[in-house]
Amino acid sequence: MAIESSCDETAASVVVNGRTVLSNIISSQIDIHTLYGGVVPEIASRKHIERINQVIKKALEEAHTGFDDLDAIAVTYGPGLVGALLVGVAEAKAIAYARNLPLVGVHHIEGHIAANFIENPDLEPPFLCLVVSGGHSHLVIVRDYGKFEILGRTRDDAAGEAFDKVARAIGLGYPGGPKIDKAAREGNENAIDFPKGKVAGSLYDFSFSGVKSAVLNYLNQAAMKGETVKAADVAASFQKSAVEVLVEHTMQAASDYHIDKVAIAGGVASNSRLRSEMEAACRRTHRAFYRPSPILCTDNAAMIGCAAYYEFIKGVRHGWDLNAVPNLKLGERV
Ligand code: KG4
Ligand code: ZN
């Protein structure tokens, strides 16, 4: 059984042999945080405490299992909000101690990447993965299970953060990613020419603060001139620019490193334009393309159970001193 509580989703899941998901329960706090326009860490921690026992109970019920049937307890221990992570870590340690079960701590991003294994039984490393979420944007070669080579990362805002900030600026509210995705369908993507998030001298790094500022400048200038702005056009033009750079860098890396399997992961991997553009680019270059269903792109515990399985069979075990590590690096073991 796996537990995930790194941000604003309280989640538990029972997974068999890393790839078969028996239950995947997610209790989202989005409604509460929407009132504040973003995740409030203190509220997130409190809500995790209120909900985690029910979420675990439901995960066991739906999987028709009890604590006696489990072989190990897995939990996300970083990166994320420290107070939020601590709730899951303390819960996992308590269950593992009480039931005398092995404890496996999992890196949240390793979980996002592993989400691709769940619905693609044929997918095995090595492959290239673009991980884009609210807190992270990484371009990674998955050399083996749990073995990563990071080729690129964002220099400033994460991709999801950029979607969220632009959505707020054009009045779409929180969480911005899905709202921009939806609004963009009604807009003209060529209406405004926003810059692409490139970084000089770096083929694979991203930078989203430039395009975010360009959107803000565009809105300010329109306001000063008394012009009305079509939010759908801004959403579509921004999305086009953000997705273009994500696809270009990924395909550049796939070509440079001769990789024929490309995957995407993380909350932004739900984006319909990213999914279709990456799929088309892979088709054009004869590469296999993998993406999790949207329910496995968002924060969930099934992906943590999947990643934990491969750590478990390698012999990774954590002790009762396992702690939350808010800025845990990918591939690092604590
Ligand atoms: O992976 P995730 O659920 O949480 C983190 O680990 O951060 O990612 C959440 C992020 C948010 O920024 C959200 O706006 C973005 O993913 N997101 C999207 C879409 N759905 C969620 N961004 C673009 N298009 C979407 N359809
Ligand atoms: Zn996440």
Side-chain angles (χ1 to χ4, degrees):
M1 183 174 71
I3 299 170
E4 153 66 43
S5 69
S6 65
C7 191
D8 60 344
E9 264 93 27
T10 319
S13 169
V14 179
V15 180
V16 180
N17 293 345
R19 301 222 182 194
T20 306
V21 176
L22 297 187
S23 62
N24 185 20
I25 308 300
I26 305 170
S27 170
S28 175
Q29 306 175 2
I30 272 187
D31 291 354
I32 304 153
H33 298 289
T34 298
L35 303 173
Y36 305 94
V39 177
V40 183
E42 178 63 22
I43 295 176
S45 315
R46 285 165 191 258
K47 290 292 158 195
H48 285 310
I49 292 176
E50 283 172 21
R51 295 176 180 185
I52 197 156
N53 286 330
Q54 287 111 292
V55 167
I56 288 173
K57 191 162 171 257
K58 208 161 165 219
L60 290 172
E61 274 169 14
E62 229 172 71
H64 303 292
T65 43
F67 286 120
D68 289 342
D69 306 312
L70 303 176
D71 296 313
I73 303 291
V75 65
T76 307
Y77 72 110
L81 302 169
V82 68
L85 287 164
L86 272 172
V87 177
V89 169
E91 181 87 10
K93 286 201 282 192
I95 296 171
Y97 184 75
R99 295 281 161 169
N100 200 19
L101 290 168
L103 176 70
V104 183
V106 174
H107 191 289
H108 182 74
I109 298 300
E110 188 173 339
H112 272 304
I113 295 169
N116 278 288
F117 296 131
I118 295 171
E119 294 159 308
N120 297 295
D122 61 312
L123 178 61
E124 304 235 9
F127 60 93
L128 183 67
C129 190
L130 173 74
V131 193
V132 270
S133 74
H136 309 269
S137 304
H138 282 82
L139 191 52
V140 184
I141 301 178
V142 183
R143 291 277 179 211
D144 201 346
Y145 294 103
K147 270 204 170 159
F148 309 101
E149 182 181 339
I150 300 173
L151 302 181
R153 47 163 62 85
T154 181
R155 297 284 182 97
D156 38 59
D157 292 349
E161 205 178 340
F163 271 86
D164 292 338
K165 287 178 178 169
V166 168
R168 189 182 306 159
I170 54 180
L172 295 177
Y174 175 87
K179 298 206 162 142
I180 293 222
D181 198 345
K182 191 158 173 254
R185 282 177 215 152
E186 316 294 322
N188 171 9
E189 62 180 30
N190 299 315
I192 312 142
D193 192 19
F194 290 129
K196 279 198 256 176
K198 297 237 174 220
V199 177
S202 170
L203 284 176
Y204 312 125
D205 279 350
F206 306 103
S207 164
F208 293 103
S209 65
V211 58
K212 180 195 68 190
S213 304
V215 173
L216 297 178
N217 286 344
Y218 175 84
L219 296 174
N220 284 340
Q221 277 172 18
M224 276 179 341
K225 288 187 226 151
E227 292 169 3
T228 45
V229 166
K230 218 177 145 209
D233 285 353
V234 180
S237 304
F238 160 75
Q239 181 173 272
K240 181 185 176 213
S241 149
V243 166
E244 237 169 61
V245 75
L246 293 172
V247 174
E248 270 177 27
H249 286 200
T250 306
M251 298 319 291
Q252 177 76 45
S255 160
D256 293 349
Y257 285 83
H258 310 287
I259 302 174
D260 60 3
K261 289 186 275 186
V262 174
I264 56 174
V268 183
S270 293
N271 184 268
S272 56
R273 189 177 170 104
L274 178 62
R275 291 166 92 86
S276 62
E277 290 294 303
M278 198 70 97
E279 184 166 22
C282 285
R283 202 179 320 115
R284 271 198 305 276
T285 55
H286 308 290
R287 292 188 166 88
F289 174 59
Y290 301 87
R291 78 281 181 284
S293 292
I295 192 68
L296 294 171
C297 289
T298 190
D299 286 349
N300 67 87
M303 67 184 196
I304 302 302
C306 179
Y309 171 78
Y310 292 99
E311 296 293 321
F312 180 81
I313 57 175
K314 272 192 286 181
V316 172
R317 304 287 184 275
H318 283 92
W320 307 131
D321 57 350
L322 178 68
N323 205 350
V325 184
N327 50 9
L328 185 66
K329 302 280 173 294
L330 188 62
E332 183 184 40
R333 303 225 184 280
V334 177

